[in-house]
Amino acid sequence: MRSPVMRSVQAANCRLLLQTSLRTPHLPSRRCLATSHNVSPSQKFDIVSRTPPYQKLLRRLEEVRRVLGSTRQLTLAEKILYSHLANPEESLLSNTNNGKDIRGKANLKLKPDRVAMQDASAQMALLQFMSCGLPSTAVPASIHCDHMIVGEKGADTDLPNSIAGNKEVFDFLESAAKKYGIEFWPPGAGIIHQSVLENYSAPGLMMLGTDSHTPNAGGLGAIAIGVGGADAVDALVDAPWELKAPKVLGVRLEGELSGWASPKDVILKLAGELTVRGGTGFIIEYFGPGVQTLSCTGMATICNMGAEVGATTSLFPFSPAHVPYLEATHRKVIAEEASKIANSPMQRNLLRADSEAEYDKVITINLSTLEPHINGPFTPDLSTPLSKFKSVVEEKNWPRTFGAGLIGSCTNSSYQDMTRSEEIVKQAEAAGLKPKAEFFITPGSEQIRATLDRDNTLSTFTSAGGTVLANACGPCIGQWKRNDGPAKGESNAIFTSYNRNFPGRNDGNRGTMNFLASPELITAMSYSGSTTFNPMTDSIPTPSGEAFKFSPPRGSDLPSAGFADGNPEFFATPGVPDPSVEVVVDPNSTRLELLDPFPAFPNSELESLRVLYKVKGQCTTDTISAAGPWLKYKGHLTNISENTLIGAVNAETDEVNVAYDVDGKKSGIPELAKRWKENGQEWLVVAEHNYGEGSAREHAALQPRFLGGRVILTKSFARIHETNLKKQGIVPLTFANEADYDLFDSCDEVATRGLLDVLRSGGKGEVELVLKKKDGSEKVVKTKHTLSEDQCGFVLAGSALNLLARSAAEQREEVTRANELSD
């Protein structure tokens, strides 16, 4: 049954158009151009809610020192994390050898300062939050409408079309934001991570974001962690958020970047060293003299792509570059307070690592000798130095030409990125050259777009034939109507300054090879149209027949005239709750659907599971829950479940999205899962390494659970996805012996042994699987798990949301009884 809150929301007339005074239209009939001023009196925000609670954090750091001993040397990551513990003594001393073995063992129960949500994931997060029946969020929060805007012809056309096509969802998000006191950034305001950097991130902050690239905020000294919507709800309702204490990987930066080398190349090189699994279970903490040479936005770029190596998050210590950036984004008071803390004695210094802090592993990168890198295709960790890329292209027989160069996105759309790219365009323009590949530019925010427009950077791009897309994710996440011609499945290449390049991610074509590089390198290569062109060494013939060679790019970290505010229609709504606002979900909607609670775990072992599918190779959250055109169903669990695992490769046949029933009947994976669900047949998936890597897409856990999934058995998991599975009541297990993967086939019968005891004991014990083959033979397979006591409670209750809703209902009943007694 639906909760009373759900029923009351659904019963309220069920109109598609909300009855609240939503801001309409979201966009003027013609998109407003940037203004040339720097500080608008109409752009007001609550600086208090955007300032980390420094005095509270310093007191908690003092308590942490008392618990662990005043001589204990802490990394920066540990200082910020532990200062956000709900109960330092409980988290740091439980099962840690009296605090000596915290990393990788302690279950940290944390109280984040803030939550940020993008529009695609916010729908499910808010639907879950609404079921708790609370009048407002417990911590400051924001919603950013960036994922549902398609890139094709340019911002002036694409943005109004996307707003019209997603009006029901945007209205729902805005009304819920107003009701519960969440700041709402409308479509066109910018990409979540760029907007967070400009407005919310701050040294010492801890925040959760419903997107895997939330660590972008670590460039400004914050602990920012990507999570699923259920995890975000923990913070929104003031429940402690649990995290296995990460290990800390130190990256020492020496020297200084020069020439064509950029901050992007730091993380491209590191991804090649660590691989997509090498950062799992770690926070990446940068230190060393090279840190002082980087811009704030450059540090954000590096942190952003830490997600591609599986890291929990990445961060930089307080740096001189943080001060001018905070001041330029109207947060001088935060800069002043952070500067005082950063210059205080180490015992009370929240923003720098202790001088003798130890890292679990250290990697050194010399910025002075770093050369540009290109990563890809099909995985962000296939890293090649630019000087060797031509020979690799020839050796691998990759395409010699590419169809499009795309710069910008949340990873690389800073003023520094864009002005370095602009300088390349000006060089080419002076030589009479035009791009030979299509050229797309995505500003990360309205602030960036407006400033680039005022400073004529955008006109430089458009005069060269570039297309300026909306301030949104667009092609980076598959929201791209590509018009340059490659047929479905045809091998072709594109170059992007994005962060992720899995097969089919950008344009839905698994034959498209996306090569990741810095914006300036992509801009230069677009003028040759060749994948083997090296602008550091090669020349391009000009119309006059002369040879032209690019000079290394130059740019500005920050605009000399300050940032422009841009279109006031894109300012956020205030984060003040208004209980009079009505939030309505039409029961006949195809875009939004209220949630029914998942059933609780039975009072027995899982005796009759079947293997729905055995996955071969890479299985990302894009594989499990595709984006692109499916984003429109993010708020409708029934409809979006139609894409479950449609990108998965069948380990037995090498077919994609082809499954076979017990009787041999062939179907798509979602079709078979639905058929089994209707027949009461619960199931498991068997997969290989790093299952669920990529986006923090909780739908990749929700959908299997909705369709009857109970267990996911793999060689290893990506961190965020493993947590998301537990939150939704699915049990994630890994092989004790990876070779046992070969024992399983589709439709095999599986029973658990010891799982119920593990759940009831709060995670103690082991789980075995009894595998019954089609010929009747049986084998016992040993597994491993990482279930904590709280996570066992999620699984037993059916989901974490079931527990939160129950707790909220009990609190409301207590308040009601107290009021009755007082009367």
Side-chain angles (χ1 to χ4, degrees), residues 1-9 130-133 595-597 805 812:
M1 293 179 62
R2 301 186 194 275
S3 70
V5 175
M6 291 178 176
R7 290 197 300 271
S8 65
V9 171
M130 286 163 55
S131 72
C132 296
L595 299 174
D596 285 319
R812 290 195 301 273

Side-chain angles (χ1 to χ4, degrees), residues 431-446:
L433 298 173
K434 291 288 184 182
K436 292 185 179 179
E438 288 199 90
F439 188 43
F440 295 92
I441 303 94
T442 301
S445 70
E446 174 61 9

Side-chain angles (χ1 to χ4, degrees), residues 13-43:
N13 296 329
C14 299
R15 291 183 304 260
L16 182 62
L17 299 178
L18 302 174
Q19 294 183 346
T20 55
S21 55
L22 300 182
R23 189 169 54 228
T24 54
H26 287 282
L27 190 73
S29 57
R30 185 179 184 279
R31 191 167 186 264
C32 291
L33 299 178
T35 54
S36 59
H37 59 280
N38 299 317
V39 181
S40 169
S42 62
Q43 188 180 19

